[in-house]
Amino acid sequence: MRNKLMAVTVGALLGLSGTAAAQPPAGKGPAKKEAAATAGKTELTWWGHAAFVLRTPGGATLAIDPWFSNPKAPQGAQWPEQVDAILVSHGHFDHVGETKALQQKTGAQVYGCYELVNLLGIPQDRAMGGNVGGSFKVKDVTIHFVEAVHSSSYAADEKSPAQYAGAPMGFVIQIDNGPTLYHAGDTGLFGGMSQIAERFKPTYALLPIGGHFTLDPTGAAQAARLLGNPTVVPMHYGTFPLLAGTPDKLEADLKKAKSAAKVKPLEIGKATAL
């Protein structure tokens, strides 16, 4: 999968015109002072693909699947100066992204599958490996590791063989006095989504809709029903031609599925109050 996606990535990058990449690796380039989160609000910023930065009322900053150099990353964007936790759903390059460089820059704790975090070269005291069923507290956030239906392997670079990286996962992120977010990672449809709904009652579900490797809009609409009809934030679409699902198609499929879920597409690079 890595080689196929890398080939697609190269093609996408060659076809881009006027789209700047994300901030260079840690320590290079000017850093802008980050705006404080709106008082009492949770703020979510989409970096394109499955990458997000989440800021909470209690002062926690989480980076999720931080592929900040993806072809859709916001032009001229600077990496967060302060990050408490980096969540990595699985080992594929388009989700690990710049995890190691971001960790080195910020000193953040890295959370993910036990096998994966031990492959990333993260300092031992900063690597928080776990598995489905694990729960972790970061300031005013509780992070739960939940199931995903996908695959997971990791290669340190193009010349290194891919290694087994443990199970893929999703994350349920409960914010004290705030919303509960479910970041599904890369996944297909599975019945356990109804158990996620029963236990956690997510307010927002960050669901892949691109298809081919993950849920397409029809599958995401079915997932929304299983999840109790939260507000759906679509992700993992449009990065490459293969990921052809769209928010408009998702809205149409939600209507066909008679789901009460709403769709909340995010503007890449814009902090959105939840």
Side-chain angles (χ1 to χ4, degrees):
M1 174 179 174
R2 179 182 172 87
N3 290 338
K4 186 173 183 179
L5 270 178
M6 281 299 291
V8 176
T9 302
V10 171
L13 288 172
L14 289 174
L16 289 175
S17 174
T19 301
Q23 177 182 336
K28 298 182 181 180
K32 298 178 181 177
K33 186 176 181 181
E34 295 175 74
T38 304
K41 294 288 186 180
T42 297
E43 289 186 349
L44 184 66
T45 304
W46 186 33
W47 277 69
H49 206 59
F52 294 86
V53 173
L54 177 70
R55 292 189 173 92
T56 72
T61 300
L62 280 64
I64 310 169
D65 282 355
W67 187 27
F68 289 163
S69 61
N70 76 77
K72 298 295 185 180
Q75 184 174 0
Q78 300 292 306
W79 291 7
E81 287 296 303
Q82 180 267 326
V83 176
D84 298 289
I86 302 170
L87 280 55
V88 187
S89 64
H90 64 290
H92 295 154
F93 81 97
D94 56 322
H95 294 260
V96 172
E98 284 72 52
T99 292
K100 187 172 181 179
L102 183 63
Q103 194 285 321
Q104 291 173 338
K105 178 183 176 68
T106 64
Q109 196 101 30
V110 177
Y111 293 82
C113 186
Y114 178 82
E115 288 84 357
L116 174 58
V117 298
N118 283 296
L119 293 173
L120 296 179
I122 304 298
Q124 188 173 0
D125 65 340
R126 297 285 87 194
M128 185 56 70
N131 219 314
V132 172
S135 298
F136 305 88
K137 188 74 175 179
V138 178
K139 293 185 177 178
D140 62 335
V141 178
T142 304
I143 303 160
H144 303 277
F145 291 178
V146 296
E147 179 185 4
V149 178
H150 195 58
S151 61
S152 182
S153 60
Y154 173 74
D157 54 57
E158 282 298 292
K159 296 182 180 179
S160 301
Q163 301 181 66
Y164 172 69
M169 295 192 296
F171 304 105
V172 173
I173 303 166
Q174 291 180 313
I175 301 165
D176 295 347
N177 302 311
T180 296
L181 284 70
Y182 166 50
H183 186 293
D186 275 4
T187 192
L189 190 69
F190 60 96
M193 289 178 172
S194 62
Q195 295 173 327
I196 292 173
E198 181 179 354
R199 179 178 177 186
F200 299 112
K201 299 176 177 58
T203 317
Y204 295 90
L206 283 53
L207 297 181
I209 67 166
H212 196 88
F213 297 109
T214 68
L215 293 165
D216 61 7
T218 302
Q222 294 173 337
R225 290 192 63 183
L226 289 175
L227 290 164
N229 298 314
T231 297
V232 177
V233 175
M235 64 173 186
H236 207 282
Y237 70 93
T239 321
F240 315 114
L242 282 173
L243 308 183
T246 66
D248 286 345
K249 181 65 164 61
L250 174 59
E251 289 206 19
D253 285 334
L254 284 168
K255 290 179 181 178
K256 290 179 183 177
K258 297 182 179 179
S259 168
K262 303 298 182 184
V263 180
K264 189 178 182 69
L266 299 189
E267 180 181 338
I268 293 174
K270 180 180 179 180
T272 301
L274 302 180

